[in-house]
Amino acid sequence: MTIAARWPCLLLVHLLLAGPPAAAVADEVRWTSAARLVDSFVEVALRSAYSTRQNLVRKWAVPVSYFIVHRVGEENLHRQLIDTHFEHLAEITGLSIKPVESSDKANFLVVLTREEWLEADLLQYYGTDSRLQNEALFRHSICMVVFATEHEGPIVRAVAMIPVDRARARGDLVSCLAEELTHAMGLSNDSLKTFPSIFSRKARRPYLTGLDILLLRMLYDPRVKAGMNEKTLRSVLPRIAGELERSNQLAGADDLAEEKGLPAFRP
């Protein structure tokens, strides 16, 4: 039985693509205020580049236990990169995010693989053997993440698929790891309306930005509940964004993004 077959809920797939749709470039907007911060949050938390469906808030409500399925070389380097980013995410969100010793104890798998093994890995870890879907993944994506939610709210399980050779060939290994692990926290959409951000390929930055840190803090503020719709969320977010602005966190977020996590990583 595959991992995906045991999940009692819809799988949500995000792909790190080679680049954004050209038509989206005109929509790029840089966040500059609490109001822009609210709009950016709704864009990456509730919207989808692949569907017109309005999502609900999705976030982890349990500790994250991750295990790295390592099928390629340079294990120590890759582990250090992943551990560093997860430690940063834990600090930002307040979540407990810890490595575990075996896959059966994990609710988050990070699969480091090769392009030639993707078809078998997709079947084993995602439970998909659809020829059309696999072709789309192979042709248009670099890295992938899937997470499962309980009743369209709390996230209960995730799998990130990182074909290391493909990512390295494009110079995107660090951004693959950082973006997909961050998406799996519940900010699942890519958009040029959030800029500068790891969720906007226009930004060309392989690390979290100040905006990303603030979006994660908003998501894991206790007032933001898994399962909230946009109307309810917009009644809560302005107060949270206003508090961040008054405490000067908007002004200092970019500096903070340079000081911790992967930008400060030393192998």
Side-chain angles (χ1 to χ4, degrees), residues 78-100:
H78 297 151
R79 181 173 297 278
Q80 287 179 315
L81 286 168
I82 292 166
D83 288 348
T84 296
H85 192 61
F86 269 134
E87 288 168 5
H88 196 205
L89 290 174
E91 181 180 347
I92 295 166
T93 63
L95 277 172
S96 171
I97 306 177
K98 303 286 187 181
V100 291

Side-chain angles (χ1 to χ4, degrees), residues 1-3 6-7 63-69 98-111 124-125 156-159:
M1 181 180 292
T2 66
I3 292 173
R6 296 200 303 265
W7 293 7
V64 176
S65 302
Y66 69 91
F67 180 77
I68 303 171
V69 180
K98 303 286 187 181
V100 291
E101 297 178 353
S102 62
S103 60
D104 61 335
K105 295 180 180 179
N107 55 17
F108 196 142
L109 295 180
V110 182
V111 183
Q124 179 176 355
Y125 295 105
V156 295
R157 190 170 290 271
V159 178

